[in-house]
Amino acid sequence: MATSQRLLQLSTNDLVMIEDLSFSANIGPDCWNRPRPQPLLLSVAIEANLEGAAYDDDVNQSINYGTLSKDLLALAGNQTFPDMQTLVEEAAKLSLSKLPPEEKGSVKVTLKAPKLLLQDAMLSLEISRIAGEPLEWGKRWNWMLHDWRVPVLIGLNPPEREAKQMLVLDVALHMNRSIEQEVCSVPELVSHLMKWIDTTSYLTLEKFAAEFCNEAMSQYPQTVSIVLKVSKPSAVLNARAACIQIYRTRK
């Protein structure tokens, strides 16, 4: 997992990063519909020019990740947030404030909520923002479901038609939202999809994946694209899983 996270941060620009800063914060109702603090993990990657700090060996010419971590913890602990979106937007704003005024860098913020869903999955939200650009609320929201284990009636062989098998889903929902559109409740979407999955029966992973994407995108018009990886651990005896991945856009 750590290797894949590092690979996702490959960039031609210098970066200052904090990975999986752990804390608890109130981001609205938890999985039991109670508004109370819950465990979260926050990662930031700030694009910055680090040449001066490297040349002079001077942290004052960089972004002090110790100070940034303390400020992010103070931000999360000192107030109640209505949802994950508000917290990541505030974290992005705080992170960009650490850049020199003349530097037009950017930041990627990822917030993971491992206990937000009753379903067996971790929910995360990722955004990217650029210093000096006016905030357009909700632009480029990337929601992700990680390692969502769901029982599905799927397969070609007679025994597979009699008992559900466990599939593992990794989902990325790319959303844009205008002021006129309602806020997408991803927990509600997950609950809807779980009920939909329970009614399905398919022969192939390909058909299941395509219909899953259609169902997910039909629920919210602000979903512009979806990436879905479906893993079937029981498919191949000597492999961890057989998998397919598809990408679909709104037509």
Side-chain angles (χ1 to χ4, degrees):
M1 176 64 73
T3 300
S4 64
Q5 286 179 338
R6 281 194 290 269
L7 288 175
L8 288 174
Q9 299 297 348
L10 286 177
S11 172
T12 57
N13 299 306
D14 299 338
L15 297 172
V16 174
M17 294 174 285
I18 297 172
E19 293 185 348
D20 289 343
L21 183 65
S22 177
F23 57 90
S24 292
N26 192 326
I27 53 169
D30 63 7
C31 61
W32 301 106
N33 203 31
R34 299 169 183 163
R36 57 183 176 179
Q38 58 183 287
L40 301 168
L41 298 168
L42 182 69
S43 298
V44 299
I46 306 175
E47 178 186 300
N49 187 344
L50 305 183
E51 291 184 357
Y55 184 82
D56 294 329
D57 201 10
D58 181 8
V59 70
N60 293 315
Q61 298 184 53
S62 181
I63 295 172
N64 188 314
Y65 44 78
T67 300
L68 175 60
S69 297
K70 292 178 182 178
D71 290 346
L72 289 169
L73 289 174
L75 169 72
N78 290 339
Q79 56 183 303
T80 296
F81 301 91
D83 47 38
M84 290 178 67
Q85 300 95 305
T86 304
L87 177 51
V88 292
E89 295 288 1
E90 291 298 319
K93 186 191 305 182
L94 189 155
S95 299
L96 289 173
S97 73
K98 303 298 181 180
L99 290 167
E102 69 280 1
E103 193 168 330
K104 192 177 177 67
S106 66
V107 65
K108 179 187 291 183
V109 179
T110 305
L111 181 64
K112 301 174 185 175
K115 301 294 185 180
L116 182 61
L117 301 175
L118 274 177
Q119 293 81 3
D120 188 12
M122 180 171 69
L123 179 65
S124 69
L125 172 60
E126 179 185 281
I127 66 170
S128 296
R129 299 292 181 258
I130 299 174
E133 286 195 354
L135 174 62
E136 296 175 19
W137 178 252
K139 69 175 182 180
R140 299 190 302 275
W141 283 347
N142 298 317
W143 291 95
M144 285 157 279
L145 287 163
H146 308 268
D147 297 324
W148 184 13
R149 303 178 66 85
V150 295
V152 181
L153 191 63
I154 191 164
L156 298 168
N157 300 308
E160 294 180 302
R161 307 311 305 160
E162 298 176 4
K164 293 184 177 182
Q165 301 178 72
M166 196 64 67
L167 300 183
V168 182
L169 310 183
D170 292 284
V171 189
L173 296 160
H174 307 294
M175 296 185 176
N176 292 328
R177 174 179 172 259
S178 68
I179 296 175
E180 293 77 20
Q181 290 174 319
E182 64 174 322
V183 175
C184 174
S185 171
V186 175
E188 288 182 7
L189 175 60
V190 172
S191 179
H192 170 84
L193 290 171
M194 191 71 250
K195 294 174 183 176
W196 172 82
I197 290 171
D198 196 46
T199 67
T200 64
S201 172
Y202 297 109
L203 299 178
T204 64
L205 295 180
E206 290 83 352
K207 179 65 172 179
F208 169 80
E211 293 301 319
F212 180 98
C213 290
N214 289 337
E215 186 66 22
M217 295 186 70
S218 71
Q219 295 303 300
Y220 290 100
Q222 58 266 54
T223 305
V224 295
S225 65
I226 181 172
V227 180
L228 172 65
K229 177 185 175 184
V230 182
S231 303
K232 188 178 181 183
S234 61
V236 180
L237 181 62
N238 296 320
R240 186 178 64 83
C243 315
I244 67 165
Q245 179 170 304
I246 66 172
Y247 169 74
R248 295 293 183 267
T249 59
R250 182 172 298 281
K251 297 179 180 179

